[in-house]
Amino acid sequence: MALRLVEDVRLLPVLAHHLGVEAAPLPLTVDEEMLARLPDGLPGKRGLVPVGRQGRAVLVAMVDPLDLALLEEVEFRLGAPVRPRLTTAAAVDSALAGPRGPGAPRGVVDAVDGILHGAVTSGASDVHLEPRGEGIRVRWRIDGILREMSAPPEVPGVSVLSRIKVMAGMDIAVRRRPQDGGFSFSPPSGGSWAVRVSTLPLEMGEKAVLRILAPDRAPADLEATGLMGEDLPRVRALLGRQGGVILVAGPTGSGKSSTLAAAVAELDRKGQNVVSLEDPVEYRLAGVSQVEVRPRAGLTFASALRAVLRQDPDVILVGEIRDRETAEIAMAAAVTGHLVLSTIHTLDAPSGIGRLLHMGVPPYLVAAGLSGIVAQRLVRKLCPGCGGRPEGCPRCPDGYRGRTGIFQVLRVSEGLREEILRGAGTPALRRRARAEGMGTMGADARRKVAEGLTSPHEVGRVLRGEAEEALPCGRCRGGVPLGARACPHCGLPRGRTCRCGEELESGWRFCPACRRPAPPPPDAGPVE
């Protein structure tokens, strides 16, 4: 039983010495003339590939160089003596999957190109390749939904994966460790896409996920992201300030990077020094000095941000606030007059303030440096061709095509700064922000439903269970926003609230703030 405790490539010299043969140098170089003499399918099925000449003899890299019957068959097919060299199955797969000369077999190459071209044409953001027996499972993420596609017929899954690893500059002999890489892809239809590749070892093989990016297709402006109504001028007003930190909040895949790119597109990049720190660079932004951080090489967001501050910047884009050090440097830079744009992983805008405080950023620095937070999600848009028919049309698979953002914009006012300095929690910050005019993503989503951009079903799918959205009322079952003191539909109080405004927990007999007797619990009886 193979325990896979050591990579095959590390065992090659030891096994070659033990078997009394030489190991073939990696990566393998295919002798196309000799390969063309072998029957189709034989090299891949039997684990061998011609790799060169030695006088009259042909050097053949083999997984099993002691298979005498196979050696005789290969010598007969090639019409020349064969000198076996030991190699690995992964090396053979990669060599056969690599670029071929004119007239040579191209099954694997064509299969991979077909997968990539189809994904680009369909607007997929990710491609998932998973082992399934001898074949492979192919799924595309289109508009946020994973959809299974037809796998290339009669092409071994391991060969497809090896071809991807070769294109991404990975070590094809390493199959039991995760790897990261990337390449550029230019389909016959035109254009250029950057492809980021991540592999993960599974019990039955390896899985690869390919992120497809169009570096030259950044949103033209903030309106292109879906910002509208009062939210659009609020965000533009934040961008017009001479300093401050503006954060875009949301989970992975919610469009934060696109919103940052759209914000940068509205800045004066000719008269200002705009620098971005990204991991990795997703969009090419004209007039912006873009830096790709490399944590493994010691170039972290924090160290790069310190260096950028010595480059006389006006605007700094930081791909993500991940730790206290980066957050503190960003806030300090904002206090000294720099405009800093970044992202943070929180469910809604007020939670972004709490996340910064939980990271350990001092409240005075958050209050002084933070200008605003834009929280967002992506919802699918109704297909303009069929208007959202579930069976779809030639332009869409299920009634949806493309996505737009739904937003919540929080502007840090003087009142909120005082709340932050007092150490208020997220619920109190949320109540204060709403009292000062902050809307909800749910309200923005309903506006987009009313305008026919998306559907109630899609909004429910995306916002289900969100922290800032509504809970059912105990009397009318309508939606009650978290933090609200009463149901906006029937007026039923939500919990108990003292006359002084303090929220009272269940079982309390007196208000801890003013010592008044606690009111009775709200009546959840029928509506009059």
Side-chain angles (χ1 to χ4, degrees):
M1 179 179 66
L3 297 179
R4 298 291 183 182
L5 299 179
V6 181
E7 298 291 346
D8 292 347
V9 67
R10 296 178 182 269
L11 291 176
L12 272 182
V14 178
L15 289 175
H17 177 74
H18 179 72
L19 297 175
V21 298
E22 295 183 26
L26 297 177
L28 301 177
T29 302
V30 180
D31 186 325
E32 300 289 353
E33 180 183 347
M34 292 294 106
L35 180 62
R37 296 184 184 182
L38 297 175
D40 291 343
L42 175 66
K45 291 179 181 178
R46 305 299 295 274
L48 62 92
V49 61
V51 293
R53 316 284 177 91
Q54 192 177 67
R56 290 186 59 252
V58 179
L59 303 179
V60 178
M62 303 177 65
V63 175
D64 183 4
L66 301 185
D67 189 339
L68 299 180
L70 179 58
L71 281 170
E72 290 179 0
E73 181 181 356
V74 173
E75 286 186 340
F76 173 77
R77 297 286 185 180
L78 298 181
V82 168
R83 299 288 183 267
R85 296 290 185 265
L86 180 66
T87 191
T88 67
V92 171
D93 290 335
S94 176
L96 296 175
R100 302 260 66 83
R106 293 184 55 88
V108 176
V109 176
D110 290 341
V112 172
D113 287 349
I115 292 172
L116 292 172
H117 184 259
V120 166
T121 303
S122 301
S125 60
D126 301 87
V127 177
H128 290 238
L129 304 174
E130 303 161 0
R132 176 176 285 179
E134 294 297 322
I136 194 166
R137 182 189 189 193
V138 180
R139 293 191 291 171
W140 297 343
R141 187 177 295 280
I142 302 174
D143 294 336
I145 306 295
L146 272 176
R147 306 179 186 280
E148 187 158 352
M149 300 295 148
S150 299
E154 301 179 0
V155 177
V158 67
S159 298
V160 172
L161 187 58
S162 294
R163 168 64 177 164
I164 292 290
K165 292 170 74 173
V166 168
M167 296 171 69
M170 298 179 178
D171 188 341
I172 53 92
V174 174
R175 307 171 73 176
R176 292 293 170 179
R177 291 201 310 269
Q179 295 190 76
D180 295 296
F183 58 90
S184 296
F185 176 69
S186 298
S189 55
S192 178
W193 277 259
V195 182
R196 299 201 324 252
V197 182
S198 171
T199 64
L200 183 69
L202 305 180
E203 182 181 2
M204 301 301 295
E206 283 184 285
K207 173 179 178 176
V209 175
L210 288 63
R211 169 62 59 88
I212 301 175
L213 303 169
D216 298 321
R217 298 192 178 185
D221 52 31
L222 288 171
E223 287 185 77
T225 67
L227 273 166
M228 57 191 300
E230 297 179 352
D231 288 340
L232 181 58
R234 285 177 180 171
V235 175
R236 284 175 170 162
L238 293 175
L239 289 172
R241 294 183 176 181
Q242 295 301 311
V245 174
I246 303 173
L247 298 178
V248 181
T252 301
S254 58
K256 300 186 297 295
S257 296
S258 296
T259 298
L260 284 183
V264 170
E266 298 205 358
L267 296 174
D268 175 16
R269 286 163 287 169
K270 291 183 178 180
Q272 292 182 308
N273 179 20
V274 183
V275 184
S276 75
L277 310 175
E278 304 170 67
D279 181 22
V281 173
E282 294 193 13
Y283 294 109
R284 297 191 189 99
L285 305 175
V288 179
S289 300
Q290 295 181 264
V291 179
E292 186 165 310
V293 302
R294 301 181 183 275
R296 293 182 181 177
L299 185 63
T300 63
F301 277 118
S303 62
L305 185 52
R306 286 195 187 92
V308 167
L309 289 173
R310 298 191 289 270
Q311 294 281 312
D312 185 32
D314 297 295
V315 181
I316 307 172
L317 187 154
V318 182
E320 182 182 346
I321 297 291
R322 296 178 177 175
D323 52 57
R324 183 182 68 182
E325 186 179 15
T326 305
E328 287 184 348
I329 298 172
M331 294 295 164
V335 171
T336 57
H338 300 87
L339 178 62
V340 181
L341 311 177
S342 190
T343 69
I344 195 167
H345 285 86
T346 59
L347 293 179
D348 69 343
S351 299
I353 300 175
R355 177 63 56 83
L356 293 171
L357 297 173
H358 290 156
M359 283 182 181
V361 183
Y364 75 88
L365 203 52
V366 176
L370 188 63
S371 290
I373 302 179
V374 180
Q376 70 177 78
R377 298 291 186 278
L378 292 176
V379 294
R380 292 180 294 169
K381 295 192 295 184
L382 293 174
C383 173
C386 65
R389 288 202 310 264
E391 64 272 18
C393 69
R395 299 178 63 180
C396 71
D398 55 6
Y400 297 94
R401 184 175 178 83
R403 290 190 289 179
T404 189
I406 53 176
F407 298 89
Q408 176 189 52
V409 179
L410 180 152
R411 182 182 62 87
V412 181
S413 63
E414 289 303 317
L416 273 174
R417 296 187 201 280
E418 293 176 2
E419 295 281 355
I420 294 171
L421 290 172
R422 280 200 294 262
T426 299
L429 294 171
R430 187 178 287 120
R431 287 195 296 270
R432 182 64 180 257
R434 284 186 174 174
E436 295 181 355
M438 180 192 73
T440 68
M441 284 183 282
D444 189 37
R446 287 189 287 273
R447 283 194 294 269
K448 290 181 168 65
V449 170
E451 294 187 8
L453 294 175
T454 188
S455 69
H457 174 78
E458 174 66 6
V459 170
R461 181 187 70 83
V462 172
L463 292 184
R464 186 178 296 117
E466 293 294 336
E468 63 111 4
E469 291 307 311
L471 293 175
C473 172
R475 181 163 63 185
C476 71
R477 308 308 295 173
V480 182
L482 291 184
R485 296 182 178 179
C487 173
H489 307 287
C490 69
L492 177 70
R494 181 177 178 268
R496 294 189 298 167
T497 304
C498 180
R499 282 185 292 171
C500 71
E502 184 75 10
E503 289 191 7
L504 306 178
E505 295 184 8
S506 175
W508 286 4
R509 297 176 58 193
F510 293 89
C511 172
C514 68
R515 297 185 295 179
R516 289 189 178 94
D523 176 25
V527 182
E528 297 180 358

